[in-house]
């Protein structure tokens, strides 16, 4: 959506040098949709400048980390520029962000912690599923592994701490809960989130034309599916993989 | 995306893969906002020098060998350079010099022996190693099985291809890095760090402990990061820390106080606050540490860190000028 100049503003920000080739621009000290919207708008604005020597722009919950080539920028002049870069006033309604519907097979072998989450919350597993799938989540940031979305906020009844000892291997597609966040493991990695289901869709597709399904600021809603549909969607994904590798 | 390998002759047959040998270039920047780690050569200086010695642009793909080197049989002639750690490289059983350009004939055999100094060594061949470019890079990131040879280290029997040049390059024999520019590696090093401005996240004692202690690189260290054993760095536990972007060289402090030095395969975001970050010019020295090696830290200003890097870059460019991007037959 185009933004007129009068809507741009200098939101208060703190600049934190990270060594000699990165600086973090911080907009707040909490996990909050308004702060995060500002973060994402600022990251987009910075990338649009096309400044040479800006290597990576990484929006997270409440800050943007800017990686730069230290042979092209000295820290002082870059921080000066970042401090005064006007930022579009972000829309908090998110009506223009992309909404993804992600099918999930809840429980059983694919969601080994569903019963424990239900017991912890004092709810039936079916209620946990209904609540988890009832919310449009915001992609606050992508991190941890290629394409891993940090989604929030989970309905308060479902908040549960991480496992004390992380699993050495969480299968790709697993959907987990940690406190009031939920996320999806795009590749098999170690992980400590409570696993309640699995999606057959690939969030990271190495050789695809769109390697990453989600970007910060997108919205996600989960759609409960049954075994049949899971297997059907898995086969479709596998076929597509074969085609793209030929 | 896929290079038609079967229509060309391989350059190298892998006789022994070594302990951990991967294809790397200068990494995969630009996708950290999607959680994609940068990867690339741990020791960028050694990788860049290896490339320049064989007439390649800095970003050409090289082999990174770790601790114990591979054994490679050349099925075509080329020129080659070995830089970085000294793990006793030999050509047909005879020792060869590091940081030199060397001519290779068909049937030559490159092998390695005992680790003498440093931990990671780089092998460049003219044209660079050819594997598909994934997200702008040929680097291998093993945890996500991305890039390089199917996202994994070399195996016995692998064939490695190089990018053929459409023009002959001048003989590279005798090309070498001037000895004064060759880094001195050691099993105990001092790394210069920029201290993080967020002192309030740590107890007052933590900074004093950091710059007055010796840390040992733990066995469970890899390209993602080094676990450092030594005195604990006390955090103020009342403060929780919201995940933010990470940088290579950051000394992250988990709640238990045992620092982790983040390296090139690091996750793009992290939930442990950094107490300090190793300066760019010293990262190659950190890259050459192996398990059991020791490290001390000393504070440095950002301006000084950037000046040191500019000086190093200037000296290298004067001795071995960068090579412009190669036009190649095998890829655009």
């Amino acid at each position: 959506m185009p933004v007129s100049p009068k809507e741009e503003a200098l939101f208060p920000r703190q600049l934190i040098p990270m060594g000699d080739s990165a600086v973090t621009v911080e907009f707040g000290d909490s996990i909050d949709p308004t702060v995060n919207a500002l973060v994402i708008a600022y990251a987009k604005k910075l990338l649009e400048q096309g400044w040479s020597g800006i290597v990576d722009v990484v929006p997270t919950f409440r800050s943007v980390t800017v990686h730069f080539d230290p042979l092209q920028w000295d820290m002082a002049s870059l921080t000066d520029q970042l401090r005064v870069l006007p930022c579009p006033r972000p829309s908090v309604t998110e009506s223009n962000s992309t909404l993804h519907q992600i099918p999930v097979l809840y429980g059983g072998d694919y969601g080994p912690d569903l019963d424990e989450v239900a017991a912890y919350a004092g709810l039936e597993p079916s209620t946990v599923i209904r609540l988890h799938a009832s919310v449009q989540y915001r992609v606050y940031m992508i991190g941890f592994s290629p394409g891993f979305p940090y989604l929030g906020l989970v309905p308060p009844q479902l908040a549960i701490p991480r496992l004390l000892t992380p699993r050495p291997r969480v299968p790709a597609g697993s959907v987990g809960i940690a406190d009031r966040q939920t996320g999806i493991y795009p590749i098999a990695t170690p992980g400590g989130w409570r696993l309640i289901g699995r999606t057959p869709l690939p969030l990271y597709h190495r050789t695809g034309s769109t390697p990453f399904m989600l970007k910060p600021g997108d919205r996600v809603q989960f759609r409960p599916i049954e075994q049949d549909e899971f297997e059907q969607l898995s086969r479709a994904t596998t076929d597509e993989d074969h085609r793209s590798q030929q | 995306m896929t290079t038609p390998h079967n229509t060309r002759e391989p350059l190298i047959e892998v006789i022994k893969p070594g302990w951990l040998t991967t294809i790397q270039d200068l990494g995969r920047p630009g996708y950290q906002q999607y959680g994609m780690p940068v990867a690339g050569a741990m020791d960028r200086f050694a990788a860049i020098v290896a490339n320049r010695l064989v007439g390649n642009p800095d970003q050409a793909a090289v082999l990174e060998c770790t601790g114990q080197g591979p054994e490679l049989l050349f099925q075509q002639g080329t020129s080659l350079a070995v830089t970085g750690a000294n793990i006793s490289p030999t050509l047909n059983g005879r020792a060869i010099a590091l940081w030199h350009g060397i001519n290779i004939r068909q049937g030559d055999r490159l092998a390695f022996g005992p680790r003498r100094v440093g931990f990671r060594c780089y092998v460049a061949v003219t044209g660079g190693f050819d594997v598909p470019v994934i997200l702008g890079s040929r680097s291998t990131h093993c945890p996500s099985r991305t890039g390089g040879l199917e996202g994994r280290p070399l195996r016995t029997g692998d064939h490695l291809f190089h990018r053929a040049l459409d023009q002959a390059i001048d003989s590279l024999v005798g090309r070498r890095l001037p000895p004064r520019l060759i880094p001195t590696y050691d099993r105990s090093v001092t790394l210069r760090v920029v201290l993080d401005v967020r002192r309030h996240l740590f107890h007052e004692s933590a900074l004093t402990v950091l710059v007055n202690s010796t840390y040992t690189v733990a066995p469970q260290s890899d390209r993602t990061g080094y676990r450092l054993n030594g005195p604990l760095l006390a955090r103020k536990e009342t403060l929780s820390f919201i995940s933010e972007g990470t940088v290579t060289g950051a000394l992250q402090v988990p709640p238990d106080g045992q620092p982790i030095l983040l390296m090139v395969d690091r996750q793009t975001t992290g939930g442990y606050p950094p107490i300090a970050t190793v300066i760019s010019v010293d990262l190659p020295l950190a890259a050459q540490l192996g398990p059991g090696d020791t490290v001390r830290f000393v504070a440095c200003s950002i301006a000084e860190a950037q000046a040191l890097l500019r000086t190093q870059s200037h000296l290298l460019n004067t001795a071995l000028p960068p090579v412009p991007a190669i036009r190649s037959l095998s890829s655009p």
Side-chain angles (χ1 to χ4, degrees):
Chain A
M1 201 169 63
V3 174
S4 68
K6 68 177 189 314
E7 286 180 73
E8 306 207 343
L10 279 175
F11 293 95
R13 59 196 77 166
Q14 204 186 345
L15 286 111
I16 303 160
M18 315 274 278
D20 59 22
S21 44
V23 53
T24 291
V25 189
E26 202 174 275
F27 290 90
D29 55 7
S30 59
I31 299 180
D32 174 282
T34 316
V35 172
N36 187 244
L38 197 51
V39 160
I40 290 164
Y42 183 86
K44 186 161 175 278
K45 181 78 179 179
L46 173 55
L47 282 169
E48 282 167 6
Q49 305 304 304
W51 292 345
S52 164
I54 300 298
V55 175
D56 254 311
V57 175
V58 189
T60 57
F61 288 112
R62 43 87 186 241
S63 62
V64 179
T65 299
V66 182
H67 298 256
F68 61 90
D69 177 356
L71 294 174
Q72 289 192 57
W73 286 95
D74 70 74
M75 182 68 82
S77 49
L78 181 60
T79 49
D80 284 350
Q81 300 259 12
L82 293 173
R83 191 174 283 118
V84 299
L85 180 71
C87 179
R89 193 174 294 279
S91 96
V92 187
T93 56
E94 313 295 340
S95 53
N96 58 344
S97 76
T98 312
L99 173 64
H100 304 262
Q101 215 180 51
I102 298 185
V104 176
L105 177 54
Y106 285 94
D109 290 346
Y110 291 166
D113 300 331
L114 177 65
D115 291 344
E116 203 178 326
V117 172
Y120 189 83
L123 299 169
E124 288 298 315
S126 59
T127 312
V128 171
I129 295 170
R130 190 175 51 74
L131 282 171
H132 187 256
S134 69
V135 179
Q136 273 189 15
Y137 297 106
R138 173 185 186 81
V139 180
Y140 277 87
M141 60 179 242
I142 310 267
F144 174 67
S145 69
F148 184 108
Y150 287 78
L151 305 168
L153 291 174
V154 167
Q157 306 95 300
L158 302 187
I160 182 168
R162 289 167 173 76
L163 296 172
L164 278 178
T165 308
R167 290 185 169 88
R169 187 178 183 279
V170 172
S174 297
V175 176
I177 296 181
D179 303 317
R180 291 200 58 196
Q181 300 179 83
T182 182
I184 310 162
Y185 288 83
I187 58 172
T189 52
W193 293 28
R194 311 274 180 164
L195 308 181
I196 59 169
R198 199 182 298 175
T199 178
L201 300 188
L203 274 81
Y204 171 51
H205 192 260
R206 288 167 194 81
T207 53
S209 54
T210 26
F212 306 99
M213 183 199 284
L214 305 174
K215 65 178 184 301
D218 284 355
R219 287 167 301 153
V220 165
Q221 182 145 23
F222 295 108
R223 178 171 66 86
I225 58 170
E226 300 300 323
Q227 186 81 36
D228 288 359
E229 191 178 352
F230 185 94
E231 278 162 17
Q232 200 182 337
L233 288 167
S234 293
R235 276 196 298 275
T237 305
T238 314
D239 290 349
E240 193 188 323
D241 262 359
H242 282 303
R243 276 199 302 278
S244 75
Q245 281 168 16
Q246 275 165 7
Chain B
M1 193 76 90
T2 309
T3 316
H5 281 166
N6 50 357
T7 62
R8 295 188 291 125
E9 286 295 310
L11 176 70
I12 284 172
E13 183 187 343
V14 177
I15 306 298
K16 288 182 193 162
W19 180 59
L20 176 70
T21 306
T22 55
I23 290 177
Q24 299 294 344
D25 56 19
L26 298 184
R28 189 170 281 115
Y31 298 93
Q32 289 194 61
Q33 59 181 309
Y34 299 106
M36 189 73 227
V38 177
M42 288 276 278
D43 182 340
R44 288 170 68 95
F45 180 85
I48 287 171
V49 171
N51 272 324
R52 292 191 187 179
L53 287 171
V54 297
N56 288 345
D58 292 352
Q59 63 270 28
V62 300
L63 292 182
E64 178 178 282
C65 317
T66 318
Q68 186 189 70
E71 187 175 330
L72 307 173
L73 177 62
F74 284 83
Q75 305 193 333
Q76 296 179 51
T78 184
S79 54
L80 166 144
V82 180
T83 63
N86 183 348
I87 41 179
S88 310
T90 60
L91 192 65
N92 305 324
R94 298 181 61 162
I96 56 169
L98 283 98
W99 309 98
H100 273 65
I102 289 165
N103 259 355
I104 295 288
R105 294 197 187 91
Q106 187 181 5
D108 280 352
R109 199 175 279 256
L110 178 71
F112 294 84
R115 172 190 173 201
R116 302 218 178 274
V117 65
F119 193 55
R120 291 181 168 87
C121 124
Y122 295 84
V123 178
V125 295
T126 297
F129 289 98
D130 195 14
V131 290
V133 173
I134 307 282
L135 301 172
S137 166
R138 296 184 167 84
S139 282
T140 316
H141 182 248
C142 293
S144 67
R145 295 187 290 120
T146 300
L149 265 187
E150 301 163 358
R152 59 165 174 83
L154 301 196
R155 287 183 197 147
T156 300
D158 278 341
H159 288 108
L160 305 180
F161 295 78
H162 68 318
R163 305 178 74 208
L165 302 181
D166 63 354
Q167 59 195 48
I169 54 166
D170 299 338
S171 169
L172 297 158
V173 180
R175 251 181 130 159
R176 64 183 187 129
L177 185 69
R180 68 177 191 285
L181 296 184
I182 296 176
T184 307
Y185 305 136
D186 201 335
R187 300 195 74 150
S188 66
V189 298
T190 298
L191 301 176
R192 288 164 286 192
V193 294
V194 172
L195 299 177
D196 198 277
V197 291
R198 293 167 290 185
R199 308 280 159 82
H200 60 279
L201 298 174
F202 300 92
H203 277 290
E204 288 76 12
S205 66
L207 281 181
T208 319
V209 170
L210 176 69
V211 296
N212 285 294
S213 305
T214 300
Y215 289 90
T216 306
V217 177
Q220 62 274 37
S221 297
D222 55 23
R223 285 173 43 90
T224 303
Y226 299 167
R227 291 190 177 274
L228 300 178
N229 290 330
L232 301 179
L233 303 172
R235 271 173 64 177
K236 287 190 178 155
E237 285 311 324
T238 50
L239 297 166
S240 65
F241 189 76
I242 300 172
S243 286
E244 65 176 22
T246 61
V247 300
T248 301
L251 273 167
Q252 276 193 342
V253 184
D256 69 6
Q258 204 73 72
I260 299 167
L261 175 59
L262 295 185
M263 298 303 285
V264 295
D265 279 356
R266 68 183 159 79
Q267 296 170 8
T268 55
T269 60
Y272 302 142
I275 192 169
T277 303
V278 175
I279 69 173
S280 297
V281 80
D282 282 354
L283 283 175
L285 299 179
Q288 294 297 345
L289 297 173
D293 293 350
T294 61
V295 56
R296 295 180 66 85
F297 298 101
V298 56
C300 168
S301 75
I302 296 171
E304 192 187 344
Q306 293 195 318
L308 286 162
L309 189 69
R310 279 195 296 271
T311 303
Q312 186 198 54
S313 171
H314 174 74
L315 290 173
L316 177 60
N317 289 348
T318 308
L320 282 178
V323 178
I326 303 177
R327 286 192 303 133
S328 154
L329 288 175
S330 45
S331 300

